[in-house]
Amino acid sequence: AQSVTQLGSHVSVSEGALVLLRCNYSSSVPPYLFWYVQYPNQGLQLLLKYTTGATLVKGINGFEAEFKKSETSFHLTKPSAHMSDAAEYFCAVTLGGGKLIFGQGTELSVKP
Amino acid sequence: DTEVTQTPKHLVMGMTNKKSLKCEQHMGHRAMYWYKQKAKKPPELMFVYSYEKLSINESVPSRFSPECPNSSLLNLHLHALQPEDSALYLCASSPPGSETQYFGPGTRLLVL
């Protein structure tokens, strides 16, 4: 069965600092992997996705993630945090068929 | 038109009321989804429609009744809900042949 673990339910960084949000997955075969962001009282916005091909994936708002099969990880990074990055971030996986499995989410706070 | 829209944005209903949530997309997507999201939790899949046919029902109580009248429209009919059904209800859609889900802004439901 697939599962997703996001390490750290809350991450706090200073403005301008590196953002690193961790995601590990459990799957018998390489899955499709996604990162979504959710701002307060809004829906989920797709940040980036990995399906096949290049393992370093670039997304919107300066975020990127690297698929590491050997570590079963798909960590999200951004070199320099901005106040507007404060939000809830969800990692998700699927093997297909429409079932997205979400992690528990990581709330990112950005201090001025 | 490159987005998923949901109406209403907010809904308050009593336990004896009947109401409906509406989701629309005009991107040619042929898979549509309903999710329920409680505060500080990831979205939980409720239903999946593929080519206007119900393909997944995640053992959702019958007081929730989905309907897909055409390829652009998805409804969720609500009847005799309980206070614990209060949540953010999210709709999503996927292009043909893709596992990527694009979310709407959600309907915030409060059951009194």
Side-chain angles (χ1 to χ4, degrees):
Chain A
Q2 304 167 71
S3 66
V4 180
T5 302
Q6 291 184 238
L7 192 61
S9 59
H10 187 257
V11 169
S12 182
V13 300
S14 297
E15 193 172 19
L18 171 72
V19 175
L20 171 60
L21 304 183
R22 299 176 189 273
C23 174
N24 287 87
Y25 67 91
S26 171
S27 174
S28 55
V29 297
Y32 300 117
L33 294 153
F34 306 87
W35 274 101
Y36 286 91
V37 60
Q38 187 174 33
Y39 298 100
N41 298 312
Q42 294 189 25
L44 276 67
Q45 181 181 11
L46 179 68
L47 273 178
L48 47 79
K49 62 181 178 181
Y50 170 79
T51 52
T52 58
T55 55
L56 182 61
V57 180
K58 293 188 186 300
I60 62 171
N61 302 340
F63 284 94
E64 62 181 39
E66 186 170 10
F67 170 59
K68 291 188 176 181
K69 183 179 175 182
S70 60
E71 299 177 9
T72 61
S73 69
F74 191 57
H75 301 331
L76 182 71
T77 60
K78 182 174 179 177
S80 177
H82 193 272
M83 297 296 290
S84 60
D85 295 326
E88 188 84 19
Y89 291 80
F90 291 101
C91 180
V93 304
T94 181
L95 288 180
K99 280 199 173 189
L100 263 185
I101 308 298
F102 286 92
Q104 288 301 303
T106 298
E107 183 180 3
L108 175 67
S109 299
V110 182
K111 299 174 290 188
Chain B
D1 200 344
T2 58
E3 62 177 0
V4 177
T5 60
Q6 291 187 244
T7 53
K9 282 190 167 61
H10 302 275
L11 179 62
V12 180
M13 60 186 292
M15 290 190 282
T16 58
N17 292 157
K18 283 185 181 181
K19 297 286 185 183
S20 296
L21 309 185
K22 180 179 172 182
C23 172
E24 224 166 347
Q25 57 85 16
H26 297 285
M27 298 178 282
H29 293 181
R30 300 311 298 270
M32 297 184 77
Y33 314 79
W34 280 116
Y35 287 85
K36 173 184 178 180
Q37 186 182 26
K38 301 285 273 185
K40 301 294 185 184
K41 296 290 186 184
E44 298 172 16
L45 183 65
M46 301 174 72
F47 303 103
V48 180
Y49 273 84
S50 180
Y51 290 85
E52 294 118 71
K53 291 188 178 177
L54 184 65
S55 60
I56 297 177
N57 177 341
E58 291 287 273
S59 303
V60 178
S62 59
R63 59 185 184 268
F64 294 91
S65 175
E67 179 196 21
C68 189
N70 58 59
S71 60
S72 300
L73 184 56
L74 185 67
N75 297 317
L76 186 63
H77 302 298
L78 314 172
H79 173 56
L81 294 193
Q82 304 296 309
E84 59 264 30
D85 296 322
S86 299
L88 181 67
Y89 287 84
L90 294 163
C91 175
S93 67
S94 293
S98 171
E99 295 297 329
T100 305
Q101 296 186 24
Y102 297 91
F103 286 79
T107 293
R108 176 77 60 188
L109 174 66
L110 178 62
V111 182
L112 300 176

